[in-house]
């Protein structure tokens, strides 16, 4: 396998050498840069097309493009970019034009000379590739949100990406989990994308220029993850003019500045912080009052034997072991968390020449979440038992965050050849501390009968250092080659301690991997595009090489209908492990694969689809299947008294499959989309659930999403509705006794079938309204958003407390009706 | 535009189909099998039980009497029947439980079939105790007002008598060269109970009650404080299998992470295990 890796490396070098000989053969080449007219920023992944033909290309991450073998006659270039007005440029007949500089204006600016063409995507472009979306962060503000324009929350509205996970901004893409997504910000890997209780993502939309989402069978350039890629490019800033802005909503404030540096570069700084720990606005309090009141209304008085037959049911009569009936007899309580977060993005951008870009990008974000709470409940006298009061105090503190830095130098050597060298550092940290004190009192005499204490401490740290070289070489009009190297050194630490002294897991790992890739985008005929690539990765921890072939093809049957298919093999070397916790909800941590406790996980993606695209509409259908192996899970539910960590990890396989429908109104004042996904994801672990397949925690059979945006003068209105069928969970199903040899009886709690129960369906409607106007040269936007417009009581998870029998059960709910106001000023 | 309407219709139809609400139960209830086989004894006392609901912990698990219970050995099936105690037993005389026998059990109730397997372990050998006859002082509490009560000389005699019992123990030994699992039970064989301790003292001593767990040692110490009556006693030392020992391993269930009690019952709960034992007797007499 090492030889294969070397061969691919030599191939990559050989291609580089071929560049020189091939270059002189072309007669008419068009090349240049696409920029924003507003601030001069280069626009990545913009589409450049010769009008009336299918010949075209997309700009690279630095906004460069080149079209070989373009007609020497007079022609028109069409340039489109999400969130910007399309532009057509007429080029006279002649020779090569290698230094074209084309500026696009964003859709908020109306210019007379702009020719509006058919292509004018408002928010996202779903037709650019197979399972690929281009998304404009600038346009996201028109979508409803939890008070803050949020990139990942907006991505959750896309087809195939679950939109029902309020507790996490992470993306569940086609049956995958958030850890299976490669999330890159200016080349830095971001391991955890959650902010603020999971309601916000860790990325400030003010700092991000472009988002590319690959939902499956992604290009060979990317690797190390099973599910998807989210590649974000940070704003580089205006090199000629100072810009700034401030924003405020009921939960946080943010600001940014763009400072030109000697007309050769720029500096961008953006910061965001919630202030709910300092000032709790009236609205903030009322939000949680509504939240608490709603839950309190659901509290039900304990009723013995409400389980649907109880013990008397017996054979044939139903034993009432199902939780649906039991819920009626149990207490429900709520938790009000205390939290704050901040993040800081900065980027230095320097252009020593038109061909070179040097940038330094820094990111730092952190969260503090305190879910400590006290509660008390009284159990009525029963038999000889007096009335008892149970006081329960919980200290629960959770801190997590990401830090990262990347240094990039890229150069457009000539019209055909582009290189990008990157060094990136990334760190994710997470600390969790929970301490529970329980006192059981005789309620009448107020005397302590029993005191108990238990605690949990978890500390997880992930660090990686990456060096990348990515190259693009336009061999000729039919072939475009991508090739490069990717080396990463990773380190993970994880401690899991119970009750201060019992170390359940203490693991420190370090390893590296080296990957080489090559990929050819081949257009054998005008209507057919084939993308074939291979990526080989040598992973130090296992001393093995993992080969990942990638293949995709798109065929245009006519101007409107396209067929597409793709296959990709993907590996993942660092894993997020879900610590299944039946009673309090599951947590997770990161560990490196090592072929000891955790194997290197893999996925085979199969995708087929068809799309029908008109001037204003896109109808797209994609079916997919993913075969997953070496999935990992961690659980203490099967532990014995002796802690043997090898018995806490479980390995298995999975199948995720589904079909996605998308109908998008791409253009116009009224635009948006409706999407439906029918899907399932099942896992099979030989040592779990009797070896039977079980639905994954994120399994969701149906998901329906409606996204609308409407522009009315200075007003922009947004309305979204999300429906998802209930997600599975594991519930305790009851008790049973075993009589032992000495006549004693031991009682056991039976944990039900893994993920064998299902929460109620999730649905939610959000609304937003924005009003934009100018004060002098400043642009002002006033907004209002309502999250969960009709106050649906969606359940996040159920918490069980077995301190006393019957146990108390807490339905941890998502947010109810939550309005917010925002104000932003840009100058 | 017609096509667009068609697309809207397609997606809407799927959307309508998707709009199911509320919890859906995905599985039927499991049941509990409690089946122990004893070498050289008839097959009896096998129970099939339901699960006690979460919200009714004081209820009694219903015994299931409509199940079909099959024992299998050497390719032969033996169907068990229900007796008057609602327990399953084998009434024929063609089934023996002998050392090394491998038994399978299959319990079918409703649409669920639970299965398990066990092997009859070798008998306990080399069992011996340090004393076969134990002489204990008779404890007579002084009557209040007659002899100074507990604080007088009578009390001292009582205290000394109790301490002499508490400080002594029996040592029970057996062969266990391979560190296999054994479990010890002590039973009183007399019909008419003659208590060693008066009630007032017995209640205080109850916390010292002998509680054994499976051990891989070759001995066990039995404190005389665990004795409750005079008379003949038997010590049974069972050679047990891992599935039985697992029942003790998982008693420390933690509400944060419920442990699934390891069960050798596939598609069900409980335990199916076999035992072989050796007995030794001792007599407790008054001094």
């Amino acid at each position: 396998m090492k030889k294969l890796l070397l061969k691919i490396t030599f191939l990559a070098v050989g291609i580089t050498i071929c560049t020189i000989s091939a270059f002189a053969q072309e007669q008419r080449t068009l090349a240049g840069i696409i920029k924003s007219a507003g601030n001069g920023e280069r626009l990545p992944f913009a589409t450049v097309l010769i009008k009336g033909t299918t010949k075209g290309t997309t700009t690279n991450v630095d906004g460069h493009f080149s079209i070989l073998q373009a007609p020497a006659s007079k022609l028109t270039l069409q340039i489109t970019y999400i969130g910007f007005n399309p532009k057509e440029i007429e080029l006279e007949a002649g020779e090569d034009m290698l230094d074209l500089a084309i500026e696009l204006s964003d859709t908020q600016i109306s210019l007379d000379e702009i020719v509006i063409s058919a292509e004018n995507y408002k928010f996202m472009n779903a037709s650019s590739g197979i399972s690929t979306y281009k998304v404009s962060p600038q346009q996201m503000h028109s979508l409803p949100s939890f008070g803050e324009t949020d990139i990942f929350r907006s991505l959750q509205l896309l087809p195939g990406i679950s939109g029902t996970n309020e507790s996490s901004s992470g993306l569940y893409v086609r049956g995958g989990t958030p850890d299976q997504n490669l999330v890159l910000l200016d080349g830095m890997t971001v391991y955890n994308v959650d902010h603020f209780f999971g309601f916000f993502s860790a990325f400030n939309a003010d700092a991000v220029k472009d988002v590319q989402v690959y939902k499956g069978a992604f290009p060979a350039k990317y690797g190390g993850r099973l599910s998807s890629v989210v590649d974000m490019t940070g704003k580089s800033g205006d090199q000629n003019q100072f810009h700034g802005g401030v924003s405020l909503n009921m939960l946080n404030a943010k600001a940014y500045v763009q400072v030109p540096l000697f007309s050769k570069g720029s500096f961008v700084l953006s910061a965001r912080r919630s202030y709910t720990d300092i000032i709790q606005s009236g609205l903030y309090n009322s939000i949680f009052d509504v939240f608490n009141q709603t839950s309190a209304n659901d509290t039900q008085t304990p009723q013995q034997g409400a389980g649907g037959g109880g013990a008397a049911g017996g054979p044939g009569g139903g034993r009432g072991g199902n939780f649906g009936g039991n819920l009626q007899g149990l207490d429900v309580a709520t938790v009000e968390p205390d939290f704050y977060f901040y993040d800081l993005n900065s980027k230095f951008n320097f252009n020593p020449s038109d061909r070179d870009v040097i940038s330094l990008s820094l990111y730092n974000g952190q969260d503090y979440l305190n879910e400590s709470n006290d509660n008390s409940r009284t159990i009525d006298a029963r038999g000889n038992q007096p009335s008892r009061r149970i006081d329960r105090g919980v200290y629960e503190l959770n801190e997590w965050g990401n830090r990262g830095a990347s240094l990039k130098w890229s150069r457009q050597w000539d019209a055909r050849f582009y290189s990008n060298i990157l060094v990136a550092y990334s760190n994710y940290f997470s600390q969790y501390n929970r301490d529970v004190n329980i006192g059981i009192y005789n309620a009448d005499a107020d005397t302590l009968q029993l005191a108990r204490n238990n605690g949990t401490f978890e500390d997880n740290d992930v660090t990686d250092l990456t060096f990348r070289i990515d190259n693009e070489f336009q061999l000729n009009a039919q072939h475009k080659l991508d090739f490069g190297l990717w080396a990463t050194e990773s380190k993970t630490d994880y401690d899991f301690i119970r009750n201060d002294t019992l170390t359940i897991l203490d693991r420190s790992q370090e390893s590296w991997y080296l990957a080489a890739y090559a990929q050819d985008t081949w257009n054998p005929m005008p209507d057919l595009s084939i993308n074939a690539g291979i990526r080989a990765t040598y992973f130090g921890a296992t001393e093995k090489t993992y080969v990942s072939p990638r293949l995709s093809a798109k065929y245009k049957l006519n101007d409107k209908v396209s067929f597409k298919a793709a296959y990709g093999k993907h590996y993942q070397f660092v894993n997020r492990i879900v610590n299944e916790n039946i009673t309090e909800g599951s947590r997770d941590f990161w560990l490196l694969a090592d072929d000891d406790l955790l194997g290197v996980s893999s996925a085979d993606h199969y995708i087929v689809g068809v799309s029908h695209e008109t001037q204003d509409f896109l109808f797209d259908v994609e079916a997919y299947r993913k075969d997953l192996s070496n999935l990992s899970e961690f659980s203490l539910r099967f532990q014995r008294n002796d802690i043997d960590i090898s018995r806490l990890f479980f390995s298995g396989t999975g199948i995720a499959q589904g079909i996605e429908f998308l109908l998008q109104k791409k253009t116009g004042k009224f635009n948006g989309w409706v999407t439906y996904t029918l899907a399932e994801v099942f896992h099979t672990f030989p040592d779990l659930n009797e070896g039977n397949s079980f639905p994954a925690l994120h399994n969701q059979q149906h998901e329906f999403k409606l996204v609308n945006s409407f522009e009315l003068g200075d007003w922009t209105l947004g309305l979204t509705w999300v429906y998802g069928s209930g997600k599975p969970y594991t519930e305790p199903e009851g008790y049973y006794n075993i009589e032992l040899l000495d006549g004693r009886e031991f009682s056991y709690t039976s944990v039900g079938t893994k993920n064998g129960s299902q929460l109620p369906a999730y649905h939610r409607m959000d609304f937003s309204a924005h009003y934009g106007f100018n004060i002098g040269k400043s642009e002002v936007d006033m907004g209002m958003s309502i999250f969960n417009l009709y106050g649906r009581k969606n359940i996040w998870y159920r918490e069980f407390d077995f301190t006393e029998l019957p146990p108390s059960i807490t339905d941890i709910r998502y947010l109810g009706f939550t309005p917010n106001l925002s104000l932003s000023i840009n100058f | 535009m017609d096509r667009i309407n068609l697309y809207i219709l397609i997606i809407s139809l799927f959307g309508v189909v998707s709009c199911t609400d509320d919890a859906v139960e995905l599985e039927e209830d499991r049941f509990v099998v409690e089946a122990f086989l004893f070498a050289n004894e008839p097959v009896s006392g096998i129970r099939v039980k339901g699960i006690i609901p979460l919200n009714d912990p004081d209820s009694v698990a219903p015994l299931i009497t409509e199940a079909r219970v099959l024992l299998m050995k050497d390719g032969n099936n033996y169907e068990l029947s229900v007796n008057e105690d609602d327990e399953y037993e084998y009434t024929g005389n063609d089934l023996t439980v002998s050392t090394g026998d491998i038994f399978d059990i299959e319990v079918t109730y409703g649409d669920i079939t639970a299965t398990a397997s066990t092997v009859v372990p070798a008998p306990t050998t080399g069992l011996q105790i340090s004393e076969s006859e134990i002489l204990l002082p008779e404890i007579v509490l002084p009557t209040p007002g007659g002899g100074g009560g507990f604080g007088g000389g009578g009390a001292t005699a009582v205290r000394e008598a109790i301490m002499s019992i508490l400080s002594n123990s029996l040592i029970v030994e057996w062969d266990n060269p391979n560190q296999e699992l054994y479990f010890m039970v002590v039973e009183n064989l007399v019909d008419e109970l003659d208590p060693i301790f008066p009630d007032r003292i017995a209640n205080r001593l109850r916390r010292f009650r002998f509680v054994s767990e499976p051990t891989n040692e070759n001995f066990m110490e039995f404190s005389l404080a665990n004795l409750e009556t005079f008379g003949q006693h038997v010590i049974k030392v069972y050679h047990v299998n891992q599935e039985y020992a697992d029942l003790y391993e998982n008693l420390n269930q933690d509400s944060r992470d419920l442990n699934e009690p390891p069960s050798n019952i596939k598609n069900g709960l409980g335990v199916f295990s076999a035992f072989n034992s050796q007995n030794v007797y001792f007599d407790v007499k008054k001094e």
Side-chain angles (χ1 to χ4, degrees):
Chain A
M1 283 300 181
K2 283 185 179 177
K3 288 181 180 177
L4 181 62
L5 188 70
L6 285 173
K7 286 179 181 175
I8 293 173
T9 306
F10 285 132
L11 177 66
V13 174
I15 290 169
T16 307
I17 295 170
C18 287
T19 308
I20 300 165
S21 58
F23 177 66
Q25 297 171 7
E26 301 302 329
Q27 294 181 349
R28 168 117 161 142
T29 299
L30 304 176
I33 300 172
I34 308 297
K35 293 181 177 180
S36 163
N39 59 15
E41 277 200 274
R42 300 173 181 216
L43 301 179
F45 312 112
T47 301
V48 183
L49 191 67
I50 298 174
K51 189 175 182 180
T53 74
T54 56
K55 184 181 282 291
T57 187
T58 57
T59 58
N60 61 25
V61 72
D62 289 323
H64 286 284
F65 74 94
S66 62
I67 301 174
L68 305 186
Q69 296 178 357
S73 58
K74 184 178 179 179
L75 56 83
T76 301
L77 283 184
Q78 286 183 326
I79 304 100
T80 57
Y81 187 69
I82 305 289
F84 281 72
N85 288 312
K87 192 168 192 177
E88 295 189 354
I89 300 289
E90 286 192 356
L91 300 179
E92 297 297 328
E95 297 185 346
D96 292 350
M97 305 178 90
L98 305 180
D99 296 310
L100 292 167
I102 303 170
E103 294 188 340
L104 300 185
S105 301
D106 67 46
T107 49
Q108 295 174 349
I109 301 172
S110 177
L111 299 176
D112 295 338
E113 68 270 26
I114 290 173
V115 178
I116 304 296
S117 75
E119 305 278 335
N120 184 19
Y121 293 92
K122 285 288 184 182
F123 172 77
M124 63 114 172
N125 181 346
S127 65
S128 59
I130 301 167
S131 300
T132 303
Y133 296 126
K134 298 177 180 179
V135 180
S136 167
Q138 282 74 22
Q139 298 297 308
M140 288 177 181
H141 82 284
S142 63
L143 296 177
S145 63
F146 184 66
E148 166 84 16
T149 301
D150 192 296
I151 294 172
F152 273 55
R153 285 285 173 207
S154 300
L155 296 182
Q156 290 180 352
L157 295 170
L158 300 177
I161 301 177
S162 177
T164 61
N165 297 285
E166 283 180 35
S167 59
S168 173
S169 300
L171 305 182
Y172 291 81
V173 182
R174 289 183 170 173
T177 49
D179 64 299
Q180 294 172 356
N181 306 324
L182 179 63
V183 179
L184 298 171
L185 174 61
D186 284 332
M188 294 174 256
T189 303
V190 182
Y191 285 88
N192 187 301
V193 300
D194 282 345
H195 252 337
F196 209 177
F197 215 8
F199 288 104
F200 290 134
S201 67
F203 307 104
N204 184 345
D206 284 347
V208 178
K209 176 167 59 177
D210 182 85
V211 181
Q212 303 284 309
V213 181
Y214 303 91
K215 292 195 297 182
F218 36 89
K221 175 182 179 180
Y222 301 106
R225 292 294 188 277
L226 296 186
S227 186
S228 74
V229 175
V230 180
D231 194 355
M232 291 175 287
T233 306
K235 283 184 178 174
S236 51
D238 194 332
Q239 296 188 11
N240 301 311
Q241 200 171 353
F242 176 86
H243 295 279
V246 293
S247 300
L248 184 73
N249 63 51
M250 305 303 285
L251 299 170
N252 65 74
K254 61 182 182 178
Y256 76 91
V257 291
Q258 296 181 8
V259 183
L261 298 175
F262 316 111
S263 298
K264 282 286 187 182
S266 56
F267 170 63
V268 177
L269 176 68
S270 57
R272 177 171 60 157
R273 193 191 189 284
S274 68
Y275 55 79
T276 50
D277 57 318
I278 302 169
I279 304 170
Q280 295 193 341
S281 64
L283 181 57
Y284 172 85
N285 289 325
S286 65
I287 289 169
F288 280 97
D289 285 345
V290 170
F291 178 58
N292 289 333
Q293 184 183 343
T294 303
S295 294
N297 287 342
D298 287 343
T299 303
Q300 291 153 349
T301 307
Q303 297 168 1
Q304 293 297 314
R319 294 179 293 274
N322 291 329
F323 190 65
N326 295 338
L327 255 183
Q328 296 174 15
L330 301 168
D331 283 338
V332 178
T334 57
V335 172
E336 183 175 320
D338 175 32
F339 40 54
Y340 72 83
F341 75 88
Y342 73 88
D343 55 50
L344 194 66
N345 291 74
S346 59
K347 190 170 182 178
F348 293 90
N349 205 64
F350 180 56
N351 301 103
S353 74
D354 283 345
R355 296 182 181 277
D356 297 278
V357 176
I358 297 172
S359 64
L360 172 65
S361 181
L362 304 168
Y363 173 78
N364 185 14
Q366 188 169 347
D367 280 71
Y368 171 93
L369 170 61
N370 189 341
E371 293 181 280
S372 301
N373 66 90
D374 299 303
N375 61 56
S376 180
R377 65 185 174 119
T378 302
I379 296 179
D380 295 337
R382 189 171 59 207
N384 295 327
Q385 289 273 20
S387 173
R388 284 163 294 163
R389 188 184 81 245
I390 301 175
D391 291 346
R392 186 168 182 266
V394 179
Y395 169 77
E396 188 167 8
L397 185 62
N398 200 348
E399 290 179 279
W400 72 93
N402 298 281
R403 307 181 189 102
S406 69
L407 178 63
K408 183 191 89 165
W409 170 51
S410 60
R411 179 172 174 81
Q412 186 74 39
W413 298 94
D414 52 43
R416 297 168 176 239
F417 189 43
Y418 169 81
S419 295
N420 188 341
I421 298 174
L422 178 103
V423 180
Y425 165 84
S426 179
N427 172 241
Y428 162 69
F429 58 93
S430 170
Q431 272 197 2
Y432 175 68
N433 196 349
R434 178 184 167 100
D435 195 38
V436 181
N437 291 290
I438 297 165
I440 301 177
Y441 295 83
N442 181 318
D444 300 325
D446 199 26
T447 54
L448 180 66
Q449 293 182 326
L450 177 68
R452 287 175 59 182
N453 170 269
N454 56 49
T456 299
F457 176 76
E458 289 181 69
D459 189 2
N460 189 205
D461 195 271
V462 185
T463 304
D464 71 40
L465 184 63
T466 297
F467 175 75
R468 280 172 55 182
I469 302 177
D470 298 302
N471 303 284
E472 299 170 8
F473 175 51
Q474 190 79 46
L475 186 62
N476 54 41
Q478 285 75 43
H479 291 275
K480 181 189 171 207
L481 301 171
D482 292 80
F483 55 95
L485 298 170
W486 187 325
T488 295
E489 182 182 42
S490 292
K491 185 179 178 186
T492 61
D493 290 293
Y494 179 63
D495 293 325
F496 184 9
I497 298 170
R498 274 278 165 82
N499 302 333
D500 294 333
T501 55
L502 180 61
T503 299
I504 294 175
L505 199 59
D506 177 5
R507 202 158 178 85
S508 182
Q509 300 169 285
E510 196 166 351
S511 188
W512 58 275
Y513 65 83
L514 174 65
Y517 71 89
Q519 176 176 288
D520 181 21
T521 304
W522 178 34
N523 296 294
M525 58 183 79
D527 296 325
L528 178 63
S529 173
I530 297 173
N531 195 310
I534 190 166
R535 182 183 180 92
T537 305
Y538 180 80
F539 183 47
T542 59
E543 298 182 342
K544 292 176 185 171
T545 301
Y546 301 85
V547 180
S548 310
R550 318 281 169 88
L551 182 66
S552 64
K554 186 172 184 179
Y555 176 69
K556 290 192 75 167
L557 184 65
N558 53 44
D559 288 345
K560 296 177 179 174
V561 178
S562 300
F563 294 97
K564 48 194 175 180
Y567 165 78
K569 177 92 176 177
H570 307 276
Y571 291 98
Q572 184 156 340
F573 307 100
V574 58
N575 298 282
R576 184 195 67 154
I577 310 300
V578 176
N579 180 0
E580 182 194 48
N581 189 321
I582 306 243
T583 54
E584 295 168 3
S586 299
R587 292 180 46 76
D588 53 58
F589 56 93
W590 291 81
L591 289 179
L592 279 170
D594 55 7
D595 266 359
D596 176 18
L597 283 181
L598 302 170
V600 173
S601 44
S602 67
D604 289 276
H605 294 200
Y606 307 89
I607 302 166
V608 293
V610 60
S611 63
H612 180 265
E613 187 168 17
T614 64
Q615 182 171 327
D616 295 323
F617 288 91
L618 168 69
F619 181 68
D620 188 78
V621 182
E622 283 195 9
Y624 66 89
R625 178 187 166 101
K626 293 199 277 193
D627 292 334
L628 307 154
S629 64
N630 266 339
L631 298 175
S632 298
E633 189 158 320
F634 176 87
S635 178
L636 293 174
R637 68 187 282 199
F638 304 100
Q639 68 171 316
R640 299 181 182 211
N641 292 339
D642 54 325
I643 299 293
D644 176 2
I645 61 170
S646 66
R647 293 166 64 172
L648 305 181
F649 286 88
F650 301 88
S651 178
T653 59
I655 293 175
Q657 55 191 0
I659 184 166
E660 301 162 1
F661 300 86
L662 167 70
L663 176 62
Q664 183 187 14
K665 170 89 167 45
K666 303 184 296 182
T667 61
K669 300 288 186 186
F670 174 73
N671 61 83
W673 61 88
V674 55
T675 177
Y676 168 74
T677 302
L678 174 67
E680 65 174 18
V681 52
F682 274 74
H683 291 170
T684 305
F685 285 57
D687 296 324
L688 295 178
N689 202 42
E690 310 263 12
N692 298 318
S693 294
F694 55 89
L697 276 174
H698 51 285
N699 181 58
Q700 196 161 40
Q701 189 175 10
H702 307 283
E703 189 170 80
F704 185 87
K705 288 182 277 205
L706 183 65
V707 178
N708 300 285
S709 176
F710 184 55
E711 294 171 17
L712 188 67
D714 293 329
W715 287 87
T716 304
L717 307 177
L719 183 77
T720 61
W721 187 67
V722 177
Y723 172 90
S725 46
K727 291 187 176 170
Y729 73 104
T730 306
E731 65 178 357
E733 62 181 345
Y735 315 97
Y736 65 94
N737 298 322
I738 298 290
E739 184 177 332
L740 303 169
L741 288 173
D742 55 4
R744 288 183 295 161
E745 276 199 343
F746 283 174
S747 180
Y748 302 90
T749 301
S750 170
V751 179
T753 300
K754 187 168 175 59
N755 298 341
S757 300
Q758 193 174 352
L759 292 172
Y762 178 102
H763 50 90
R764 188 188 85 230
M765 180 175 284
D766 301 336
F767 171 77
S768 69
H770 288 266
Y771 178 68
F773 58 97
N774 292 333
I775 299 178
K777 292 185 177 179
S778 298
E779 298 170 5
V780 181
D781 181 276
M782 295 174 63
M784 178 201 66
S785 67
I786 300 175
F787 185 89
N788 200 353
L789 184 64
Y790 53 82
R792 165 72 177 178
K793 299 171 186 175
N794 292 306
I795 295 176
W796 178 5
Y797 66 92
R798 285 183 170 145
E799 189 173 283
F800 302 83
D801 182 355
F802 285 84
T803 306
E804 273 289 304
L805 300 179
S808 66
I809 298 177
T810 305
D811 268 355
I812 306 295
R813 293 192 185 282
Y814 285 129
L815 281 179
F817 176 85
T818 307
N820 204 345
L821 299 172
S822 64
L823 173 68
S824 67
I825 302 171
N826 297 299
F827 48 87
Chain B
M1 201 61 190
D2 290 342
R3 281 209 180 99
I4 300 304
N5 291 331
L6 176 63
Y7 298 149
I8 291 173
L9 180 65
I10 291 171
I11 294 178
S12 299
L13 282 176
F14 276 108
V16 169
V17 168
S18 73
C19 290
T20 56
D21 206 346
D22 296 324
V24 175
E25 298 301 336
L26 298 179
E27 62 137 357
E28 297 180 55
D29 292 346
R30 293 184 290 177
F31 53 78
V32 181
V33 177
E34 182 185 303
F36 295 143
L37 304 180
F38 297 89
N40 308 314
E41 292 185 26
V43 173
S44 62
I46 292 175
R47 296 171 183 162
V48 181
K49 302 185 285 191
I51 297 172
I52 302 168
L54 267 189
N55 64 340
D56 195 8
D58 296 332
S59 64
V60 177
L63 288 173
I64 296 171
T65 57
E66 289 87 0
R68 183 169 186 257
V69 182
L70 280 180
L71 272 184
M72 288 158 274
K73 186 182 92 165
D74 297 334
N76 298 316
N77 292 351
Y78 304 91
E79 183 162 357
L80 275 55
S81 56
V82 179
N83 62 21
E84 57 190 12
D85 294 326
D86 290 341
E87 296 177 344
Y88 291 82
E89 62 182 9
Y90 186 70
T91 53
N93 54 12
D94 56 336
L95 174 61
T96 59
V97 180
S98 305
T99 301
D101 284 349
I102 298 173
F103 280 91
D104 295 312
I105 193 170
E106 183 180 290
V107 182
T108 303
Y109 176 59
D111 295 330
I112 298 178
T113 297
T115 59
S117 182
T118 192
V119 61
V120 182
T124 307
T125 58
L127 181 63
Q128 54 184 332
I129 55 175
S130 55
E131 296 173 69
S132 60
E133 185 174 286
I134 299 168
L135 296 176
L136 298 180
E138 189 171 8
I139 300 171
V140 180
L141 293 179
T143 55
F150 262 55
T156 303
V158 169
R159 196 176 301 116
E160 287 176 354
I162 293 172
M163 290 309 295
S164 73
I165 297 172
L166 297 183
S167 60
N168 282 295
S169 60
L170 276 177
I171 303 299
V172 184
E173 297 175 278
W174 57 87
D175 297 335
N176 191 11
N178 299 322
Q179 294 189 315
E180 295 178 346
L181 292 163
Y182 289 84
F183 182 78
M184 191 173 94
V185 173
V186 182
E187 294 176 1
N188 187 348
L189 297 177
V190 295
D191 293 331
E192 294 185 8
L193 298 180
D194 184 3
I196 297 171
F197 302 103
D199 285 346
R200 286 173 62 189
I201 295 175
N203 289 338
R204 295 184 189 181
L205 292 176
R206 196 148 289 156
R207 58 197 170 99
F208 295 114
R209 184 180 173 187
F210 177 66
V211 176
S212 170
E213 290 193 359
T215 177
N216 57 6
E217 300 288 347
N218 64 348
F219 74 99
M220 190 167 282
E221 185 176 10
F222 176 75
S223 170
L224 300 188
N226 291 298
L227 291 171
E228 294 182 355
T229 64
F230 292 102
Q232 186 78 3
H233 288 70
V234 60
I235 294 177
K236 298 178 180 176
V237 175
Y238 293 92
H239 192 175
V240 303
N241 293 327
Q242 183 65 51
E243 65 265 10
Y244 182 78
D246 283 346
L247 294 173
Y248 292 79
E249 286 246 25
N250 286 275
L251 278 177
N252 296 330
Q253 291 192 322
D254 188 320
S255 68
R256 290 168 296 186
D257 300 295
L258 286 177
N259 305 334
E260 182 78 78
S263 168
N264 66 334
I265 308 290
K266 292 197 179 305
N267 210 25
L269 300 165
V271 62
F272 175 51
S273 194
F275 310 95
N276 212 332
S277 64
Q278 187 180 7
N279 299 344
V280 65
Y281 300 87
F282 66 92
D283 203 0
V284 183
K285 296 181 176 177
K286 296 176 183 174
E287 278 183 342

